[in-house]
Amino acid sequence: MTIPADRIRETARELMARAAIDIPEDYLAGVRAMIAREKGELSAFVLEAMLENWQAASADRRPMCADTGLPRYYVKIGNEARIEGGMVALEEALRRATAEATREIPLRPNRVHPLARTDHDNNVGIFTPEIDYSFEPGADWIDVTTVHKGGLFGTDWRMLFPGDGRDGIRRFYLDTLIAFGRRGLACQPVIVGIGLGGSKDACMVLGKQAACLRVVGDRHPDPEVAALEEELTALGNRIGMGAMGFSGSSMVVDCHVEVAYTHTGGMPMSVHCFCLSSRRATARIHADGSVVFRTDPAWFTPYMRRETVAWSPAPESSASSA
Amino acid sequence: MVAGTGKLRKLRLKAPARPEDLAALRIGDVVHLDGVIYTGREGVYRRAVEEGVPLPLDLAAVSNVNFHCSPAAAREPDGSYRIGAVTATASFRFAKWMERWFALSGARVIVGKGGMSGEDYRRLFRPAGAVYLTTVGYGTGALLGRGVKRVRSVHWLEELGIAQALWVLEVENFGPLLVDGDLEGNSLFERENAKLQARLREVYDGLREPALKRYGETTDRGDEVV
């Protein structure tokens, strides 16, 4: 069956509201666990205030934060899915939903032309909202995820070299967290996403996706990468920096690393901080038009992380996701 | 544990604020505001301070609390304004206007995000008898939005747009805010930064510098990037 473009538009509008207003449960549970460990009184106070803020947002149906970030989309398309009007209709539906949600919720119309600083007042413009795509073999649904991530602080990129090794990774990770953690510019505690390898642009894209599209507690299927994720999470919380840069331990709720094959001479690395509002929401639109909402984007699948030329799923891995 | 949050002093501050109330504030105090405050940021500062355009109202008679904020305001059919979430914007960019702004507006409380430097507090705030309160989180937009009871008036809306206009807001239990700069020129953020320094040497211990350096890079982890 064909998925109607209008269903995509309605769903995307609802996703915009959920992302802006309701804190994802995995992140909330992660912050609650951090408060229980936090010895710094100022940092603990800030986190308690955030808990109160999230309750107020959900109760009042107000955005958690008035800076509603840069709304954008991630779309996973089943290989058997058919969309009414095709991909052009899907993109128009997502742009319409963005403009409508900006007025209705309201979201802050943050998007402006970079030079003229002019504004359409609806978060739509040149290359905006961004839409990233991925595909899933054997599926006839589409998954639409929206992310509202802040745009100013907490992200950096660097070309490291194989000789820089694990020390280079640790050092650049610390540099980014400390530079942006002071005064709380990173809006920590954050979910940190790290892109390691790939081409330079892929490195940035993967790191951002690792921060925004994987849930707290998720581990990479490669045990070596998973061990690095756990090591870096612990390292971030040993800096001595808590919420707003006050003394404490609440810096990193979780750290996710995505790796991609890279140039033999290099080891590019990106670091991304997904803030105290960690705004994301996902919906699966089935071929029959039914919609199921969730907060786990389940973006990184075995198919996406495949290493081989052809894709031949092992029976047990085809059903699992990130 | 909610380790010792009970130790933080919690205060209600009436706006406009009296000098004796400001003198009682210490860095790290938790403050909620009641009364009247107004927004003002680079658009207002440029127009009033640099271009010398007279203020559109007798600001000193209305309030002395200046909030670094762009409200997400929607106009209702009856002409009133609805405010959803409210979040401060980073204040460090506005330090250069503060000295003349204090003289012009009579502002004595700056509410914003992330504070200014301790040097700014000693050089600009202390002589003016002004304090700095920071929002927390960041992003307690829903709580601060609840604290705004009414938009009393808006000025320079046509000239500056919604984000930069001067909004006069009636607030109640508006917070939480933390005192970052007190009347003595102390800075909470700088006190906390200093505590971090000893830890950083330990955290970086043994990590080699990367092979490829970058222009403009500081290697002193005591530095801030703002």
Side-chain angles (χ1 to χ4, degrees), chain A residues 47 52 80-81 90 107 145 152 176-177 197 204 216 221 237 256 260 267 275 310 320:
Chain A
L47 295 181
E52 206 185 322
E80 313 307 324
L90 175 135
L107 303 176
T145 296
L152 302 186
T176 308
L177 293 186
M204 278 301 276
V216 174
N237 291 329
H256 298 133
M267 188 173 64
C275 70
S320 71

Side-chain angles (χ1 to χ4, degrees), chain A residues 73-113:
Chain A
Y73 297 95
Y74 296 87
V75 180
K76 190 184 289 297
I77 302 171
N79 198 42
E80 313 307 324
R82 295 294 172 265
I83 297 163
E84 176 201 8
M87 296 302 293
V88 171
L90 175 135
E91 294 205 321
E92 184 179 328
L94 296 181
R95 288 169 86 88
R96 280 193 189 281
T98 304
E100 289 163 358
T102 298
R103 192 177 57 246
E104 287 162 6
I105 297 173
L107 303 176
R108 199 157 86 188
N110 274 337
R111 297 278 197 168
V112 300
H113 187 284

Side-chain angles (χ1 to χ4, degrees), chain B residues 15-197:
Chain B
R18 299 178 306 174
E20 57 267 37
D21 293 334
L22 298 184
L25 299 179
R26 297 286 172 267
I27 58 172
D29 285 348
V30 179
V31 174
H32 286 75
L33 288 170
D34 302 287
V36 179
I37 67 174
Y38 61 86
T39 70
R41 49 184 299 177
E42 62 266 47
V44 168
Y45 296 152
R46 271 203 206 100
R47 194 168 163 83
V49 173
E50 289 181 15
E51 296 167 20
V53 179
L55 286 168
L57 72 167
D58 183 1
L59 211 45
V62 171
S63 181
N64 58 5
V65 182
N66 175 193
F67 184 26
H68 289 159
C69 161
S70 299
R75 193 197 272 268
E76 301 284 27
D78 66 359
S80 67
Y81 289 89
R82 175 172 55 94
I83 299 233
V86 174
T87 302
T89 194
S91 299
F92 69 88
R93 304 166 285 167
F94 308 140
K96 62 180 176 181
W97 290 298
M98 281 299 115
E99 184 173 19
R100 288 160 71 194
W101 177 249
F102 285 143
L104 192 67
S105 67
R108 294 297 175 262
V109 180
I110 299 291
V111 180
K113 173 178 170 180
M116 296 187 190
S117 72
E119 201 211 323
D120 290 333
Y121 294 151
R122 290 182 287 278
R123 189 170 57 87
L124 307 172
F125 280 63
R126 187 164 53 187
V131 302
Y132 185 98
L133 310 179
T134 180
T135 55
V136 311
Y138 298 97
T140 50
L143 287 180
L144 295 176
R146 269 187 179 179
V148 176
K149 291 302 159 195
R150 198 169 78 89
V151 175
R152 181 182 280 190
S153 60
V154 55
H155 307 269
W156 286 349
L157 184 60
E158 266 181 39
E159 295 87 340
L160 299 176
I162 283 183
Q164 295 281 344
L166 194 160
W167 296 81
V168 181
L169 307 173
E170 292 175 12
V171 301
E172 187 184 309
N173 200 26
F174 181 82
L177 309 168
L178 280 169
V179 179
D180 179 51
D182 63 18
L183 280 189
E184 291 169 17
N186 299 304
S187 159
L188 178 65
F189 283 119
E190 290 193 357
R191 186 190 78 187
E192 295 293 301
N193 273 343
K195 287 186 197 168
L196 188 62
Q197 286 317 107

